[in-house]
Amino acid sequence: MKQIKYYLAIDIGASSGRHILGWLENGKIRIEEIYRFENGLIEKNGHLCWNIDRLFSEIINGLKKCKELNRIPTSIGIDTWGVDFVLLDKNQQLLGDSVAYRDNRTEGMDTKIYNIISEKELYNRNGIQKLIFNTIYQLFALKETQPELLSQAEHFLMVPEYLNFLLTGKIKNEYTNATTTQLVNAETQDWDYELLEKLSIPTKIFGKLHMPKTSVGNFKQNIIDEVGFDCEVVLPATHDTGSAVLAVPTNDDNSIYLSSGTWSLMGIERLIPDCTEISRQHNFTNEGGYHYRYRYLKNIMGMWMMQNVRKEFHHKYSFTELFTLADIAKYFPSIIDVNDESFLAPKSMIQAVKNYCIKTNQEIPQTEGEILYCIYNSLAKCYADIVKEIEEVTNKTYSKIHIIGGGCQDIFLNRLTAKYTGKDVFAGPIEATAIGNIICQMLKAKDFQDLIEARETIAKSFDVRKAEIIEGRFWEYNLN
């Protein structure tokens, strides 16, 4: 009997992490979640931070679960959100705290940077969407407030790279996540050392950029002793969106993808970046993808708003109840800008929504249903606006939208997206990021000839449902 080769994706998002095993069986990809844990921000030394030590302990717990189930992976890959980083000193010890992108330390840093290099020139160099929490602004904030940390630093590591280091003792920077820093040159596809020097950020801390499928190394001996087995650590697209886009279940270039989770990432794949002024004015980003593809997309606040609103409700509603509440309030007229900075890390998301409506002289939502519908409706209209912008910038009409990731389960938002965009909307697969992570490992192992074959296998392996509006009601049917 042929032994099954398991691949482990450790997919860590802003609100939770999961260990998902994947393998090939009868020509299809099978996955199984074997461990899940919560993630979130903590307040430390006056900043919002990630609890990196706890995240790593949860990684170890999940690896122990593999041993307990006797499902030892051939390799593992770790992906997380982008932009956040840690610094190591000459002894490879952590410097400072792992401050999170939702912290306010970057306020005003854009103005200071634009006194050195204009926003227009910056975009022309890297093609990355301006977001005030991008790594470039975080590093500049560190230079302004804690320059001693930068002067002591020997290594710059994004979050998944640091977790890889803890497992293997090896330091390797990965390309797709590096592009989220706004410090990678779109033309050279390497760190923009000239830009770093302009900003007085030490260039020595930035290591060689490695592509997905690169081996980081095997577990350190103390990790082997703790989890009970050795394993190779492989770089997937370590930025979670980079992995998610790999799992879009089509090779058709006539489709737009929407990776829906805490953040919504909406865009297309391109083979060359678009760093033009028109693209900048539309605020599109050219993030690096697998095999030097480009993820031409926009970041949208996404399900983060819904997650926070749900926490504030006194009753813990089921998703069906949430959809019902929102549907009851479907004539509520107010629209919010879901990307407004007031929604990034408010004390109360409900109050932030109300304050925005007050500020913009709109009707203030009073009921839970009105709050929900206001967010749902605003998200869907934002998606529709971005579809129009993509078509305007590319001078091309797209017929389909593939919604992937956990947010694709939100049938109410899918319905509104189909309604406002007028496109064919397909939902699935749900665990797109983990699947894309696993696909990278399988491509390294030569289980697939290329990404085209891998995507064809994804399409026949997972539920992909088409969303339609019939007499005002939403329904989906399985295409497989």
Side-chain angles (χ1 to χ4, degrees):
M1 183 176 175
K2 188 177 179 181
Q3 187 175 2
I4 295 174
K5 286 197 299 183
Y6 294 108
Y7 303 91
L8 180 65
I10 302 175
D11 170 31
I12 306 176
S15 56
S16 67
R18 59 210 61 81
H19 291 54
I20 294 181
L21 280 170
W23 66 96
L24 283 171
E25 183 179 301
N26 298 324
K28 292 186 177 183
I29 301 167
R30 302 299 186 194
I31 61 170
E32 181 182 357
E33 180 184 302
I34 62 164
Y35 189 72
R36 180 175 284 262
F37 55 92
E38 291 186 357
N39 189 23
L41 301 176
I42 58 173
E43 290 195 21
K44 186 177 180 183
N45 298 322
H47 294 284
L48 292 175
C49 299
W50 301 108
N51 189 338
I52 291 286
D53 291 338
R54 191 184 74 78
L55 285 181
F56 186 66
S57 70
E58 294 288 15
I59 287 174
I60 297 298
N61 289 339
L63 293 172
K64 289 178 178 177
K65 190 69 174 178
C66 288
K67 176 65 174 177
E68 178 187 325
L69 296 172
N70 195 29
R71 296 193 176 185
I72 308 302
T74 299
S75 63
I76 74 165
I78 300 175
D79 66 76
T80 75
W81 62 95
V83 306
D84 286 342
F85 63 93
V86 300
L87 299 174
L88 303 184
D89 65 15
K90 63 182 180 180
N91 298 315
Q92 298 184 341
Q93 297 299 306
L94 200 61
L95 284 167
D97 299 320
S98 51
V99 179
Y101 63 85
R102 293 192 190 275
D103 186 75
N104 64 4
R105 67 174 172 170
T106 57
E107 287 182 7
M109 293 303 137
D110 51 345
T111 301
K112 292 188 177 185
I113 285 177
Y114 299 153
N115 286 332
I116 300 171
I117 180 171
S118 71
E119 185 176 359
K120 182 178 179 179
E121 183 186 347
L122 186 62
Y123 188 86
N124 185 250
R125 297 178 79 103
N126 54 54
I128 297 299
Q129 174 186 13
K130 181 197 171 179
L131 295 166
I132 191 59
F133 50 73
N134 284 350
T135 317
I136 188 173
Y137 305 112
Q138 293 196 49
L139 279 169
F140 205 83
L142 201 61
K143 182 178 79 74
E144 295 285 289
T145 59
Q146 293 179 288
E148 70 281 2
L149 293 183
L150 274 179
S151 65
Q152 295 173 53
E154 291 290 330
H155 302 284
F156 167 94
L157 292 175
M158 307 293 278
V159 170
E161 297 162 357
Y162 179 60
L163 297 172
N164 288 339
F165 165 72
L166 294 178
L167 286 174
T168 67
K170 303 290 173 48
I171 291 175
K172 285 192 177 177
N173 294 123
E174 189 270 326
Y175 170 71
T176 68
N177 216 344
T179 62
T180 71
T181 65
Q182 213 170 343
L183 293 167
V184 171
N185 188 289
E187 184 176 341
T188 66
Q189 297 169 325
D190 196 2
W191 298 112
D192 192 331
Y193 294 107
E194 182 181 356
L195 172 62
L196 289 164
E197 288 172 356
K198 279 177 182 272
L199 300 177
S200 301
I201 296 171
T203 58
K204 68 176 181 177
I205 65 177
F206 299 92
K208 178 183 175 182
L209 292 180
H210 297 272
M211 291 301 293
K213 295 195 301 184
T214 301
S215 175
V216 179
N218 281 57
F219 288 169
K220 296 186 297 183
Q221 188 59 52
N222 66 309
I223 301 297
I224 296 172
D225 294 341
E226 186 170 4
V227 303
F229 63 92
D230 191 12
C231 189
E232 182 184 24
V233 178
V234 171
L235 293 176
T238 63
H239 184 220
D240 51 11
T241 310
S243 277
V245 169
L246 281 174
V248 175
T250 181
N251 289 302
D252 182 4
D253 63 2
N254 193 32
S255 61
I256 291 170
Y257 60 77
L258 172 57
S259 179
S260 181
T262 300
W263 287 90
S264 290
L265 300 308
M266 191 172 206
I268 56 174
E269 282 190 295
R270 307 185 83 168
L271 297 180
I272 57 173
D274 183 350
C275 303
T276 63
E277 180 61 9
I278 292 175
S279 183
R280 184 188 75 82
Q281 289 173 357
H282 282 283
N283 209 23
F284 279 100
T285 200
N286 294 268
E287 292 178 356
Y290 175 80
H291 208 254
Y292 293 113
R293 294 163 178 263
Y294 288 91
R295 292 174 280 127
Y296 190 68
L297 58 83
K298 275 197 176 186
N299 287 269
I300 308 157
M301 200 71 75
M303 303 307 289
W304 162 256
M305 300 182 73
M306 205 64 67
Q307 292 164 1
N308 280 269
V309 162
R310 288 184 69 205
K311 289 177 184 176
E312 293 186 58
F313 288 163
H314 296 301
H315 180 73
K316 191 173 182 179
Y317 294 109
S318 69
F319 284 108
T320 301
E321 289 171 329
L322 286 173
F323 302 156
T324 303
L325 282 171
D327 194 55
I328 290 171
K330 63 186 175 185
Y331 299 109
F332 184 76
S334 299
I335 298 292
I336 58 176
D337 175 3
V338 294
N339 287 323
D340 189 84
E341 288 184 13
S342 63
F343 303 126
L344 190 59
K347 296 289 185 183
S348 165
M349 187 63 75
I350 291 175
Q351 193 56 52
V353 171
K354 291 183 176 182
N355 289 345
Y356 186 91
C357 291
I358 292 170
K359 182 177 71 174
T360 54
N361 297 314
Q362 298 185 83
E363 186 176 334
I364 305 167
Q366 301 296 332
T367 66
E368 292 174 332
E370 288 175 347
I371 288 283
L372 287 167
Y373 186 74
C374 181
I375 296 172
Y376 271 127
N377 202 37
S378 300
L379 273 173
K381 287 196 171 183
C382 180
Y383 296 160
D385 289 342
I386 291 173
V387 168
K388 289 177 183 176
E389 288 184 81
I390 291 171
E391 293 182 335
E392 179 183 334
V393 171
T394 62
N395 195 28
K396 179 178 177 180
T397 300
Y398 296 84
S399 61
K400 305 170 187 172
I401 299 174
H402 279 273
I403 304 179
I404 56 175
C408 79
Q409 300 172 91
D410 195 317
I411 60 174
F412 192 79
L413 185 54
N414 293 351
R415 180 190 81 178
L416 289 175
T417 302
K419 173 184 175 182
Y420 286 126
T421 64
K423 308 294 185 184
D424 288 337
V425 172
F426 300 88
I430 297 167
E431 292 289 359
T433 301
I435 293 166
N437 182 325
I438 290 164
I439 284 296
C440 257
Q441 297 178 60
M442 288 180 169
L443 282 164
K444 179 183 183 296
K446 299 188 175 359
D447 291 340
F448 298 114
Q449 180 179 343
D450 51 29
L451 182 56
I452 292 173
E453 183 186 1
R455 280 178 165 160
E456 288 172 350
T457 307
I458 290 170
K460 67 182 182 182
S461 301
F462 299 98
D463 283 351
V464 179
R465 298 174 179 268
K466 185 176 181 182
E468 293 196 30
I469 306 294
I470 303 296
E471 296 177 353
R473 294 181 298 107
F474 174 80
W475 67 294
E476 291 182 336
Y477 57 87
N478 195 344
L479 297 183
N480 291 337

